Amino acid sequence: MGKSPAMPDAGGANSGYLVTEDGFTLLLDCGTGVFAELRTVCEPTAVDAILITHMHVDHFADLLPYAHALAYPYGKSAARPRLLLPPGGRELLAKIVELLGIGYPVVGAFEVEEYDPDAVHTAGPLTLRHQEVPHYVRTWACELSGSQGGRFTFGADCAPNDALVKFARDTDLLMLEATEEFAPFVADGDVRGHMTARDAGELARRAGAKRAALTHFSDLLDPQVVRSEGEAGFGAPVELVQAGLRFTV
Ligand SMILES: [Zn+2]
Ligand SMILES: [Zn+2]
């Protein structure tokens, strides 16, 4: 649905990826602009589950208009998608709803649950696993695998780290953020929370990923340089994510 980093691209949406398997549809992250994009490809009621990697606005903000759609235009009879939030996500979402005084039941629009990131669990035919990764708030990478065993691994937002290399070992498709410009943009003493395209490529190479896709990079960056940096790190061609791009795993 979208690959923008925190500042949305011109005409673009933040983090949001639609995963389908055997008629089951899961929306992975739901940042700003994702709901409008979702409506261009399916009914909001066609989504069976929503999985959120971390509670940053560019990954969950459109849960609010999504809830509005389910509460009003689609009516209370609409099926409630499972909303799989990271640990702490339920309380944070409830606080936002309370502070904003939102008059419609955001939390009630979904079957809200917090996933146990240490457990292997399922959503329809998909098997889900999680791995905590270093970012500015607690964040979990995830792996979605299908009934035929194909593995899609999403790194969420993270600095370069070994835990994700191990988690993504030999995955079929590894999608990684490449948010930072072509050098880390931290001042001395700051903790990194993102990767450059080259970092992402190198991480995918170290993990032995069969395919690598870069996402969450700004339209202010030159995509040719994002690609060449990613390929220099990966040692093979990489895909640059854009709205509408499809992968089969
Ligand atoms: Zn983030
Ligand atoms: Zn982000």
Short mmCIF file of all heavy atoms in Angstrom, two decimals, residues 53-59 135-137 139 156-158 177 193-194 216, ligand 1:
data_model
loop_
_atom_site.label_atom_id
_atom_site.label_comp_id
_atom_site.label_asym_id
_atom_site.label_seq_id
_atom_site.Cartn_x
_atom_site.Cartn_y
_atom_site.Cartn_z
N THR A 53 3.71 -3.76 13.67
CA THR A 53 5.07 -4.09 14.14
C THR A 53 5.49 -3.24 15.32
O THR A 53 6.26 -3.70 16.17
CB THR A 53 6.10 -3.89 13.02
OG1 THR A 53 6.06 -2.53 12.56
CG2 THR A 53 5.86 -4.84 11.87
N HIS A 54 5.05 -1.97 15.34
CA HIS A 54 5.40 -1.10 16.46
C HIS A 54 4.51 0.13 16.42
O HIS A 54 3.92 0.47 15.39
CB HIS A 54 6.88 -0.73 16.47
CG HIS A 54 7.36 0.12 15.31
ND1 HIS A 54 7.30 -0.30 14.00
CD2 HIS A 54 7.92 1.36 15.29
CE1 HIS A 54 7.82 0.64 13.22
NE2 HIS A 54 8.19 1.67 13.97
N MET A 55 4.44 0.79 17.58
CA MET A 55 3.46 1.86 17.73
C MET A 55 4.06 3.23 17.40
O MET A 55 4.07 4.15 18.21
CB MET A 55 2.86 1.82 19.14
CG MET A 55 2.10 0.52 19.44
SD MET A 55 0.74 0.16 18.31
CE MET A 55 -0.52 1.29 18.95
N HIS A 56 4.55 3.35 16.18
CA HIS A 56 4.92 4.65 15.61
C HIS A 56 3.82 5.05 14.63
O HIS A 56 3.26 4.19 13.94
CB HIS A 56 6.27 4.57 14.88
CG HIS A 56 7.44 4.95 15.74
ND1 HIS A 56 8.74 4.66 15.39
CD2 HIS A 56 7.50 5.63 16.94
CE1 HIS A 56 9.56 5.14 16.34
NE2 HIS A 56 8.82 5.72 17.27
N VAL A 57 3.57 6.37 14.58
CA VAL A 57 2.44 6.88 13.80
C VAL A 57 2.47 6.39 12.35
O VAL A 57 1.43 6.06 11.77
CB VAL A 57 2.43 8.42 13.87
CG1 VAL A 57 1.51 9.01 12.83
CG2 VAL A 57 1.99 8.86 15.26
N ASP A 58 3.68 6.33 11.76
CA ASP A 58 3.76 5.92 10.35
C ASP A 58 3.51 4.42 10.17
O ASP A 58 3.57 3.92 9.04
CB ASP A 58 5.09 6.34 9.72
CG ASP A 58 6.31 5.82 10.46
OD1 ASP A 58 6.29 5.76 11.70
OD2 ASP A 58 7.31 5.47 9.79
N HIS A 59 3.19 3.72 11.28
CA HIS A 59 2.88 2.29 11.18
C HIS A 59 1.49 1.94 11.71
O HIS A 59 1.04 0.80 11.51
CB HIS A 59 3.96 1.46 11.91
CG HIS A 59 5.30 1.58 11.26
ND1 HIS A 59 5.84 0.59 10.47
CD2 HIS A 59 6.17 2.61 11.22
CE1 HIS A 59 7.01 1.00 9.99
NE2 HIS A 59 7.23 2.24 10.43
N HIS A 135 15.18 -0.19 17.78
CA HIS A 135 14.56 0.98 17.17
C HIS A 135 14.30 1.97 18.30
O HIS A 135 14.74 1.75 19.43
CB HIS A 135 13.29 0.53 16.43
CG HIS A 135 12.64 1.58 15.60
ND1 HIS A 135 13.34 2.40 14.75
CD2 HIS A 135 11.33 1.96 15.47
CE1 HIS A 135 12.49 3.24 14.14
NE2 HIS A 135 11.27 2.99 14.57
N TYR A 136 13.60 3.05 18.05
CA TYR A 136 13.42 4.08 19.08
C TYR A 136 12.33 3.73 20.09
O TYR A 136 12.29 4.28 21.18
CB TYR A 136 13.13 5.43 18.42
CG TYR A 136 14.24 5.84 17.49
CD1 TYR A 136 14.01 5.97 16.13
CD2 TYR A 136 15.52 6.08 17.98
CE1 TYR A 136 15.04 6.33 15.27
CE2 TYR A 136 16.55 6.45 17.12
CZ TYR A 136 16.31 6.57 15.76
OH TYR A 136 17.33 6.91 14.92
N VAL A 137 11.40 2.88 19.71
CA VAL A 137 10.44 2.29 20.64
C VAL A 137 10.52 0.78 20.44
O VAL A 137 11.10 0.31 19.45
CB VAL A 137 8.98 2.78 20.37
CG1 VAL A 137 8.88 4.28 20.57
CG2 VAL A 137 8.51 2.38 18.98
N THR A 139 10.04 -2.65 19.13
CA THR A 139 9.64 -2.97 17.76
C THR A 139 9.94 -4.43 17.46
O THR A 139 10.98 -4.94 17.88
CB THR A 139 10.42 -2.06 16.77
OG1 THR A 139 10.08 -0.69 17.03
CG2 THR A 139 10.10 -2.38 15.32
N ALA A 156 10.64 -4.59 9.83
CA ALA A 156 10.04 -3.42 10.50
C ALA A 156 11.03 -2.26 10.40
O ALA A 156 11.71 -2.10 9.39
CB ALA A 156 9.66 -3.74 11.94
N ASP A 157 11.09 -1.41 11.42
CA ASP A 157 12.07 -0.33 11.48
C ASP A 157 13.19 -0.77 12.41
O ASP A 157 12.90 -1.20 13.54
CB ASP A 157 11.45 0.95 12.06
CG ASP A 157 10.55 1.68 11.09
OD1 ASP A 157 10.35 1.19 9.96
OD2 ASP A 157 10.04 2.76 11.47
N CYS A 158 14.43 -0.66 11.97
CA CYS A 158 15.51 -1.08 12.87
C CYS A 158 16.87 -0.58 12.41
O CYS A 158 17.08 -0.32 11.23
CB CYS A 158 15.55 -2.60 13.02
SG CYS A 158 15.89 -3.50 11.51
N GLU A 177 13.82 -1.99 5.78
CA GLU A 177 13.80 -0.54 5.66
C GLU A 177 15.16 -0.02 5.22
O GLU A 177 16.20 -0.59 5.55
CB GLU A 177 13.43 0.07 7.01
CG GLU A 177 14.47 -0.16 8.10
CD GLU A 177 14.92 1.14 8.74
OE1 GLU A 177 15.57 1.93 8.02
OE2 GLU A 177 14.61 1.36 9.92
N GLY A 193 18.51 4.06 14.87
CA GLY A 193 17.25 3.31 14.87
C GLY A 193 16.84 2.91 13.47
O GLY A 193 15.78 2.32 13.28
N HIS A 194 17.69 3.23 12.48
CA HIS A 194 17.35 2.93 11.08
C HIS A 194 18.59 2.43 10.34
O HIS A 194 19.70 2.44 10.87
CB HIS A 194 16.82 4.19 10.39
CG HIS A 194 15.47 4.63 10.86
ND1 HIS A 194 14.33 3.89 10.62
CD2 HIS A 194 15.08 5.72 11.55
CE1 HIS A 194 13.28 4.53 11.15
NE2 HIS A 194 13.71 5.63 11.73
N HIS A 216 10.59 1.94 2.82
CA HIS A 216 10.66 2.97 3.87
C HIS A 216 11.74 4.01 3.57
O HIS A 216 12.30 4.59 4.49
CB HIS A 216 10.91 2.29 5.22
CG HIS A 216 10.15 2.92 6.37
ND1 HIS A 216 8.89 3.41 6.25
CD2 HIS A 216 10.48 3.12 7.68
CE1 HIS A 216 8.48 3.87 7.42
NE2 HIS A 216 9.44 3.73 8.30
ZN ZN B 1 9.42 3.44 13.67
#
